Amino acid sequence: MLKFAKFSRLALTLGLCLAAIPALAQQTHSPKAVPSHAPQTKQDPWWKHAVIYEIYPRSFQDSNRDGVGDINGITSRLDYLHDLGIGAIWITPMYPSPLVDFGYDVADYTALDPLYGTLADFERLMAEAKKRNIRVIMDFVPNHTSDQHPWFKESRSSRTNPKRDWYIWRDGKGPGQPPNNWQSWFGHSAWQFDPTAGQYYYHHFYVEQPDLNWRNPEVRKAMYDAMRFWLNRGAAGFRLDAVSRLFEDPNLRDDPILPGKNAYGDPNIQHKYTDNLPEIHEVLREMRKVVDAYPGNPVLISEADEPNIKELTKMYGTHNDEVQLPMDFQIADVNKLSAPDFRKLLDEVENSPAHGQPHYFFSNHDQPRAWDRYGDGVHNDQIAKLMAALLLTPRTTPLMYYGEEIGMRTTPPTRKEDVQDPIGKIGWPEEKGRDGERTPMQWDTAKDAGFSAADHTWLPIPPSSAEYNSILSFYKRLFELRQSEPALQNMREGSYVSLDRDDPNVLAFLRKNPANGDSVLVVLNMSGEAHTVKFDLASLGIKGTSTKTLLAAPEPEQTSMPLEHFAIAPFGVFIGSVH
Ligand code: NOJ
């Protein structure tokens, strides 16, 4: 889950060129037509092949000139997503909410906030998305509600209210003393005293986000019914928010204190007793049963910042009966362009006994965009292409974040008074909050970058929106290759083969064609120097001595490269066919 507290935003270096809009096509060797021997994919669930695209609805497209994006805005941009090749969109919460955490504080799980539109608008979105074969994944927030949710209002009203036990209420240790040392992810104690009945409630996130008590069967039933509400309306599944935080130690043991302080000035702490308790797996199995009862293979995506491959693997379930796509935060947050680091993690996934479908991403609404995080401040556009290839060519279901395909940069507020995200207010100036990665989508060079016709947008349009780059055309070519090259599709497990495992600069791998047609060689130079490498692919059944360029940046002079003596430019990306 949230990584932003761990990554120093101060470390961001904003570089030169950037952002914006559909521009000139990058290189270019036209994709082959889909070969007739392409393996059949009928049995594979859609989520093994789709590229999923995260939409932060406040910032995608405003249709009613209020400066905030909305459902009709998303519908109006479906053609763009379809043309890009997106198979599913995950929309972050649009439920009624006081918006303390911009929708992650839900006040009603079975309605939409009028700010975003009506259920009729949603139905139209679903119908239009279906016409374009785009699935819609809802965000589901099971760990906590808003303090304005009627359930919590009832719960806090007295110690004997029937909903009292729907939340985590405890007595303090003494006057003014919370029950233990647990800390909120968003700073300071995780306990809030409520004078109404003289007890503390637990909130893993903001004070206004009380945690639900998942040990209570009534809570489970209510939440599963809420999931069914959206499945009945055609949702293709859920991204499950903060699922590793669902349970806390019933004995309220203090968390271990670690050296140092965090961005909020609190002692560092290991969230040992509030994170990843084994009970979460029972809930995930129950949620899986809820979605499995529906046709069309609805998917569960877990947002859980798993510390290692062992924990990540557990999210699939012992019998593959939990989450189909656990988000891989290990790979998302390598946070430096390092071939050995990426190779190690990719190899770990391949060698994991779970054999689940990997789910990689590099950007989302909680952490600085990959453009800044992996860019060196000078070659960011080129590095963005390299990261695009790293996302779209391994064996994974890729998850993109809106604007990634046009190289949108992180634009944090420069003054505390402009901050929207409360953690930016709590943690200023060290923690500036998440506004920087949530700025409006930059569609074109019109007013407000085509996002809105309002006089004022909820977050400003970054000045970089006026600049052009060729990142979008590179993404488009990658999407085309995913269609035309069977080896880049996910039909067989094990078709990712790591190459040159000791190279400190160049990450290379082979996507092996299961049908013995052309395989695809991917070479990514993660260093700022040119390198020459040698590939010996004979033991992998590759007889050819050269590789034919399918897509590369910068564009190489030859259309074919010798495997014995393969030269790659600084931060170069090469994707070629071999057989
Ligand atoms: C994770 C979400 O991605 C983040 O935006 C939110 O603040 C927390 N969960 C709390 O719901």
Side-chain angles (χ1 to χ4, degrees):
M1 61 159 321
L2 306 182
K3 267 286 191 186
F4 47 85
K6 293 185 189 166
F7 178 75
S8 166
R9 288 158 187 278
L10 298 176
L12 281 183
T13 3
L14 291 182
L16 304 168
C17 47
L18 267 261
I21 315 169
L24 294 171
Q26 180 72 16
Q27 337 296 61
T28 90
H29 301 266
S30 338
K32 296 184 287 192
V34 179
S36 55
H37 60 265
Q40 294 302 305
T41 60
K42 276 198 182 118
Q43 294 84 343
D44 278 334
W46 62 270
W47 46 260
K48 274 202 170 183
H49 304 283
V51 177
I52 303 178
Y53 186 97
E54 178 191 352
I55 291 181
Y56 198 70
R58 297 181 68 77
S59 288
F60 197 58
Q61 178 66 61
D62 173 19
S63 76
N64 62 352
R65 301 174 69 123
D66 63 359
V68 178
D70 46 49
I71 296 171
N72 288 339
I74 299 172
T75 308
S76 73
R77 294 294 187 179
L78 287 172
D79 281 340
Y80 167 82
L81 298 171
H82 175 258
D83 292 348
L84 193 56
I86 298 299
I89 52 177
W90 146 36
I91 312 177
T92 65
M94 300 190 290
Y95 312 108
S97 163
L99 300 175
V100 171
D101 194 11
F102 292 108
Y104 284 98
D105 45 329
V106 178
D108 182 350
Y109 287 96
T110 54
L112 291 164
D113 197 303
L115 183 67
Y116 299 114
T118 62
L119 268 179
D121 296 334
F122 181 79
E123 277 164 20
R124 200 167 69 84
L125 166 68
M126 299 302 280
E128 292 299 319
K130 193 170 181 187
K131 281 186 203 159
R132 293 162 181 82
N133 205 20
I134 295 176
R135 290 169 169 87
V136 179
I137 298 168
M138 300 296 279
D139 207 315
F140 195 64
V141 189
N143 180 66
H144 46 270
T145 68
S146 160
D147 62 352
Q148 299 306 306
H149 196 297
W151 299 341
F152 187 70
K153 288 186 179 171
E154 278 190 54
S155 181
R156 84 186 324 173
S157 65
S158 80
R159 289 193 185 208
T160 53
N161 183 280
K163 290 215 166 41
R164 185 70 173 178
D165 185 50
W166 281 41
Y167 292 84
I168 318 282
W169 292 98
R170 295 289 183 277
D171 292 327
K173 269 188 182 160
Q177 284 183 292
N180 65 13
N181 75 348
W182 293 350
Q183 279 177 23
S184 160
W185 196 256
F186 289 158
H188 313 325
S189 173
W191 296 99
Q192 176 70 15
F193 184 70
D194 188 58
T196 323
Q199 277 191 310
Y200 286 82
Y201 66 85
Y202 174 74
H203 58 94
H204 194 93
F205 295 96
Y206 290 126
V207 171
E208 297 86 349
Q209 292 170 300
D211 273 45
L212 283 162
N213 176 14
W214 276 84
R215 296 183 197 278
N216 183 325
E218 289 176 18
V219 167
R220 293 194 188 192
K221 181 176 178 313
M223 295 301 276
Y224 301 152
D225 283 349
M227 292 171 81
R228 290 185 191 103
F229 180 91
W230 296 105
L231 290 163
N232 288 337
R233 282 159 184 78
F238 301 94
R239 175 268 192 185
L240 302 172
D241 185 72
V243 273
S244 62
R245 319 300 206 228
L246 290 187
F247 289 90
E248 300 77 33
D249 175 26
N251 301 318
L252 301 195
R253 275 171 286 189
D254 273 346
D255 272 334
I257 302 286
L258 304 172
K261 297 214 163 178
N262 64 20
Y264 308 104
D266 303 319
N268 284 326
I269 205 164
Q270 183 195 352
H271 293 271
K272 179 171 175 185
Y273 294 114
T274 58
D275 194 10
N276 260 330
L277 268 62
E279 291 92 325
I280 62 170
H281 295 286
E282 185 183 303
V283 169
L284 290 175
R285 283 192 292 276
E286 289 174 0
M287 288 182 169
R288 178 65 178 272
K289 282 194 185 130
V290 171
V291 296
D292 277 356
Y294 284 77
N297 288 309
V299 71
L300 292 179
I301 298 173
S302 58
E303 188 231 13
D305 171 11
E306 301 305 344
N308 51 49
I309 185 73
K310 195 163 160 250
E311 290 301 317
L312 184 75
T313 296
K314 285 187 194 163
M315 302 306 279
Y316 294 104
T318 322
H319 303 288
N320 268 317
D321 51 357
E322 297 184 26
V323 169
Q324 296 100 322
L325 295 178
M327 291 168 71
D328 191 327
F329 277 81
Q330 296 285 298
I331 288 179
D333 289 326
V334 168
N335 288 337
K336 66 175 181 189
L337 211 52
S338 157
D341 289 8
F342 278 112
R343 183 184 302 121
K344 173 175 169 285
L345 293 169
L346 291 163
D347 286 358
E348 273 180 6
V349 169
E350 284 308 311
N351 298 328
S352 153
H355 280 296
Q357 174 73 357
H359 193 31
Y360 301 156
F361 69 103
F362 293 119
S363 289
N364 70 12
H365 62 283
D366 287 331
Q367 52 192 342
R369 286 177 175 273
W371 190 94
D372 311 275
R373 211 145 35 88
Y374 289 96
D376 66 350
V378 178
H379 306 94
N380 290 34
D381 284 359
Q382 175 62 30
I383 294 170
K385 291 173 191 169
L386 183 149
M387 296 307 288
L390 184 56
L391 183 66
L392 291 164
T393 60
R395 186 181 70 85
T396 183
T397 297
L399 171 59
M400 292 173 58
Y401 184 46
Y402 81 93
E404 180 175 328
E405 73 279 18
I406 54 170
M408 269 176 69
R409 62 172 81 174
T410 315
T411 313
T414 51
R415 304 181 315 168
K416 187 178 178 186
E417 54 268 39
D418 297 333
V419 173
Q420 296 277 341
D421 182 17
I423 60 167
K425 294 180 183 147
I426 304 171
W428 190 271
E430 196 177 336
E431 170 59 69
K432 292 192 170 62
R434 296 163 288 178
D435 296 350
E437 51 266 32
R438 298 174 176 181
T439 57
M441 175 70 178
Q442 300 162 185
W443 293 104
D444 53 39
T445 51
K447 177 178 148 42
D448 290 338
F451 162 69
S452 171
D455 293 336
H456 180 77
T457 55
W458 83 283
L459 283 176
I461 311 291
S464 55
S465 65
E467 297 172 33
Y468 287 82
N469 63 45
S470 56
I471 295 172
L472 179 61
S473 44
F474 192 79
Y475 267 91
K476 285 185 175 166
R477 290 288 295 111
L478 279 167
F479 272 88
E480 284 166 7
L481 285 181
R482 286 174 59 86
Q483 290 302 315
S484 63
E485 295 302 315
L488 288 182
Q489 296 157 12
N490 285 312
M491 44 247 15
R492 298 266 160 74
E493 310 226 339
S495 70
Y496 169 98
V497 187
S498 187
L499 302 173
D500 266 15
R501 306 180 69 152
D502 296 324
D503 195 308
N505 302 299
V506 178
L507 178 75
F509 54 87
L510 189 72
R511 292 300 310 277
K512 187 101 172 55
N513 189 332
N516 289 328
D518 283 358
S519 293
V520 170
L521 173 68
V522 179
V523 187
L524 307 173
N525 183 355
M526 297 200 166
S527 80
E529 290 89 45
H531 288 285
T532 301
V533 282
K534 178 177 169 182
F535 293 114
D536 180 1
L537 305 182
S539 62
L540 297 168
I542 306 292
K543 298 192 184 76
T545 56
S546 64
T547 169
K548 187 167 150 271
T549 312
L550 295 166
L551 175 65
E555 194 166 4
E557 279 156 26
Q558 309 97 299
T559 53
S560 158
M561 299 280 291
L563 292 173
E564 270 276 312
H565 193 80
F566 183 99
I568 183 132
F571 303 119
V573 182
F574 176 90
I575 302 169
S577 61
V578 286
H579 59 268

